[in-house]
Amino acid sequence: GAGVSQSPSNKVTEKGKDVELRCDPISGHTALYWYRQSLGQGLEFLIYFQGNSAPDKSGLPSDRFSAERTGGSVSTLTIQRTQQEDSAVYLCASSLDKGAHNEQFFGPGTRLTVL
Amino acid sequence: GENVEQHPSTLSVQEGDSAVIKCTYSDSASNYFPWYKQELGKRPQLIIDIRSNVGEKKDQRIAVTLNKTAKHFSLHITETQPEDSAVYFCAALATYKYIFGTGTRLKVLA
């Protein structure tokens, strides 16, 4: 079956522009995560969605970052007024449910470059 | 806040030798510890995991050990091969939130 997909795979934008990144989780997966991976760094938690519950936004680095998940499936991460330090790979992951019995599957990521 | 420390940041071994990567976590509520392998330009892939009710798990050449008292867990790769070269990440899960280590770049020299 299809895995987690993300689009676009690469995005180059100018400083100050807004960008939208999309994540299609595996069908039926209720848990969805966004992470940021800067060059040579680990995965930084950004936001978590679980079903219809309020998301955990505690990892969003500033109010320029927001995310939504429509209909419990597709998610978009929006970065407003992009800055050069936003350049990174943005990874989405989904799992069937939360907790230790549910493997987390990653998408291929979106590489964002802010000029 | 929650934190996972991972060492070493880089590791070079000769083909056939063993490699060990160590992680320490801070959140005592963590109960699940996965390890991911990320090849260059690819997505992270789960290679092995361990739950808090066991101390060791093995899958062919890969093993993971967990010491809950010390809040340490380690990845052991035996008989390393060139295709093991990648970045390896540990993570700790409490409830639903994964905290990742900063990664270890493993190079297996032929």
Side-chain angles (χ1 to χ4, degrees), chain A residues 2-80:
Chain A
V4 178
S5 61
Q6 292 185 243
S7 60
S9 55
N10 280 285
K11 177 71 177 179
V12 180
T13 190
E14 292 179 348
K15 178 181 172 181
K17 301 280 189 183
D18 297 351
V19 295
E20 267 194 7
L21 312 180
R22 177 187 169 107
C23 171
D24 281 87
I26 293 173
S27 178
H29 281 197
T30 62
L32 187 148
Y33 301 79
W34 282 98
Y35 297 95
R36 179 168 68 177
Q37 186 174 29
S38 301
L39 188 63
Q41 299 296 310
L43 280 72
E44 176 189 4
F45 168 82
L46 297 178
I47 189 168
Y48 163 77
F49 294 92
Q50 174 62 45
N52 296 319
S53 302
D56 178 345
K57 305 179 182 180
S58 61
L60 295 178
S62 77
D63 58 7
R64 296 185 296 105
F65 287 72
S66 63
E68 62 178 25
R69 189 178 185 192
T70 53
S73 181
V74 172
S75 178
T76 55
L77 176 69
T78 301
I79 309 174
Q80 295 179 306

Side-chain angles (χ1 to χ4, degrees), chain B residues 56-99:
Chain B
E56 185 173 358
K57 181 177 178 180
K58 189 173 182 180
D59 182 3
Q60 299 183 344
R61 296 186 297 108
I62 297 173
V64 57
T65 59
L66 171 65
N67 181 331
K68 281 211 71 178
T69 303
K71 296 183 187 173
H72 288 169
F73 59 113
S74 300
L75 176 71
H76 304 252
I77 306 174
T78 58
E79 301 171 29
T80 52
Q81 301 167 4
E83 54 264 37
D84 294 331
S85 295
V87 178
Y88 291 81
F89 292 97
C90 63
L93 173 68
T95 311
Y96 60 81
K97 194 170 182 179
Y98 289 86
I99 305 297

